Amino acid sequence: MIETRDVIKVGIADLNIVKAPNMIRTSGLGSCVGVVIYDLPNKIAGLAHVMLPDSALAKEPKKNIYKYADTAVVYLIELLLNNGASKYSLKAKLAGGAQMFQFTANSSTMRIGPRNIEAVEKALNTYKIPVVGSDLGGNSGRTIEFNPATGYLNIRTINKGEKDI
Amino acid sequence: MSHTGLTNLELDVLKEVGNIGAGNAATSMSQLINKKVDMQVPSVKVVAFDEVMNIIGGPEELIVAIMFHIEGDTPGTVYFILSKEEAEQLVSKMMPEQAVTNFKGTEVNPLAISILQEAGNILTGSYLTALSDFLNLDMQPSIPYFGCDMAGAILSVGLVEISEVTDYAIIIDTKINDHDMVSGINGQFFFMLEPESLSKIFNSLGINNYD
């Protein structure tokens, strides 16, 4: 029997949730961090494509809560719990936070990858969600796809091939 | 495009700005590769971040980009973007003796990187000089940064700069190309403007109804 599977796409500064047998993916992560929070027993997962570390940095009148690590993680957890996930089985997997260019000049974007990683880890720690797998840093772009049925995160880069964590 | 508040007049002005820059860059490119080089009418787009990647074929598309931060009166980011094949062409036209494979995945021969950085420097330099003279504004490019990877990963570097302020990018997209059908080079300039730079450009040209 053939099951139809959809792949939910998450854009930049965006988030969404998915239930098995569907998958969820985001493409072209650079300094951005892809945060997967999932509940394996209930086969439900959420993915956020975080762009900036801290919503306190926002200089826009109406801020996009999907864009910042602190607000996106909180909202994603809430969304998962409202859709049948159990608080105590939530786990996280992370990918991204690369440094795409070797900057010499002093620029606010210089350490954005590591700052995003720190902010995501801090937010997850607040909710006591363990990070069980990660592929962070380096200088390659990544495309990631998560399967809520198996709990595997597939990571694809142009140069360093593909792997599952 | 109503969310941007840009009028048709303002969009036309930005197109003209792209035109002037690319015209000058096309001349430089022509001298660089010793061939006739043309440009296309620029497009000015005000788009959500996802749409930025879609303009050049989606976030996973492998691109070669030379990036510059712009400082001075109009902060922003300029990318000179090529496909891998076009970058290979450009290297071999500038350095015919460098006729080896310079690109393997995202790994690039260091000499080819230098050549492309220098080409980017020359082309973007003439692009910005034309703009700066026309607008009478100070635009200082940084040193060139070379990148070869997924479009999403590379372009988000420029988007991060503006993302604290807005969810939309203003992009002046200009293409220059030589007329070789078999192995043509299409270079694309992406000028991502910070919102505050816009009002300076309009002010400088005496269009004051933008606020």
Side-chain angles (χ1 to χ4, degrees):
Chain A
M1 212 174 80
I2 299 167
E3 264 184 311
T4 46
R5 271 193 190 178
D6 285 329
V7 177
I8 313 260
K9 288 195 178 124
V10 174
I12 186 167
D14 186 15
L15 63 77
N16 213 331
I17 58 166
V18 68
K19 286 179 180 169
N22 298 332
M23 320 261 270
I24 193 162
R25 81 183 303 191
T26 194
S27 304
L29 285 167
S31 61
C32 301
V33 175
V35 187
V36 176
I37 302 178
Y38 66 103
D39 172 349
L40 195 55
N42 288 310
K43 298 190 185 335
I44 177 169
L47 169 62
H49 184 137
V50 167
M51 200 172 180
L52 289 170
D54 188 354
S55 61
L57 294 170
K59 291 173 201 143
E60 52 192 333
K62 195 171 167 288
K63 62 185 165 200
N64 173 1
I65 59 169
Y66 300 171
K67 190 157 63 183
Y68 304 92
D70 55 342
T71 49
V73 168
V74 173
Y75 184 74
L76 190 57
I77 294 170
E78 201 177 299
L79 199 60
L80 285 165
L81 296 180
N82 289 341
N83 281 277
S86 145
K87 195 176 171 184
Y88 300 101
S89 36
L90 291 181
K91 293 188 169 68
K93 288 188 177 178
L94 310 177
Q99 182 163 350
M100 298 310 298
F101 295 94
Q102 304 305 315
F103 292 116
T104 47
N106 196 12
S107 151
S108 63
T109 55
M110 194 169 70
R111 281 193 68 251
I112 200 76
R115 281 166 59 209
N116 280 336
I117 296 170
E118 280 162 31
V120 167
E121 285 173 343
K122 190 178 153 208
L124 290 170
N125 194 32
T126 311
Y127 290 85
K128 301 277 178 280
I129 296 175
V131 177
V132 293
S134 62
D135 180 36
L136 298 164
N139 49 20
S140 300
R142 296 172 173 94
T143 286
I144 61 172
E145 188 169 283
F146 187 79
N147 186 342
T150 61
Y152 279 117
L153 180 66
N154 177 270
I155 300 163
R156 204 177 67 79
T157 58
I158 287 177
N159 232 20
K160 299 186 178 114
E162 230 178 297
K163 66 175 168 185
D164 283 326
I165 59 168
Chain B
M1 286 199 192
S2 55
H3 57 266
T4 65
L6 289 184
T7 64
N8 282 338
L9 174 66
E10 286 164 342
L11 286 172
D12 281 344
V13 164
L14 292 178
K15 266 185 208 166
E16 187 53 24
V17 164
N19 232 336
I20 289 165
N24 216 28
T27 311
S28 296
M29 174 96 150
S30 166
Q31 286 162 357
L32 210 56
I33 62 174
N34 210 8
K35 274 176 106 174
K36 187 165 176 266
V37 172
D38 256 349
M39 51 176 287
Q40 285 170 22
V41 179
S43 67
V44 176
K45 298 192 176 92
V46 184
V47 290
F49 291 164
D50 277 320
E51 203 51 38
V52 176
M53 325 300 181
N54 291 337
I55 298 175
I56 50 163
E60 278 189 87
E61 184 80 10
L62 177 62
I63 59 166
V64 175
I66 324 292
M67 184 190 73
F68 301 83
H69 288 303
I70 308 301
E71 280 168 21
D73 291 331
T74 58
T77 309
V78 172
Y79 287 91
F80 181 60
I81 301 170
L82 299 161
S83 73
K84 198 169 89 174
E85 291 73 25
E86 288 159 357
E88 191 86 69
Q89 282 291 325
L90 185 55
V91 172
S92 66
K93 278 181 181 157
M94 286 175 70
M95 291 271 284
E97 58 272 33
Q98 184 69 14
V100 291
T101 309
N102 291 300
F103 291 84
K104 280 181 194 149
T106 57
E107 260 162 39
V108 187
N109 180 327
L111 183 58
I113 293 181
S114 293
I115 293 170
L116 288 168
Q117 278 178 328
E118 192 46 33
N121 222 353
I122 293 168
L123 297 176
T124 311
S126 54
Y127 182 91
L128 290 174
T129 307
L131 291 193
S132 168
D133 287 351
F134 173 65
L135 297 169
N136 201 16
L137 291 170
D138 178 34
M139 296 179 179
Q140 302 284 345
S142 66
I143 58 164
Y145 295 103
F146 177 87
C148 174
D149 211 307
M150 296 179 186
I154 292 200
L155 295 178
S156 59
V157 176
L159 296 178
V160 162
E161 296 270 353
I162 55 173
S163 64
E164 286 170 13
V165 193
T166 172
D167 279 311
Y168 292 91
I170 300 143
I171 289 178
I172 306 177
D173 176 8
T174 329
K175 290 190 182 103
I176 57 175
N177 54 291
D178 65 3
H179 283 275
D180 199 331
M181 293 302 279
V182 191
S183 56
I185 299 171
N186 283 289
Q188 199 166 8
F189 286 102
F190 251 43
F191 195 171
M192 292 180 189
L193 284 162
E194 295 189 8
E196 59 168 302
S197 304
L198 262 196
S199 39
K200 285 192 188 137
I201 289 178
F202 293 141
N203 273 332
S204 169
L205 295 171
I207 305 169
N208 293 320
N209 56 355
Y210 182 85
D211 51 18

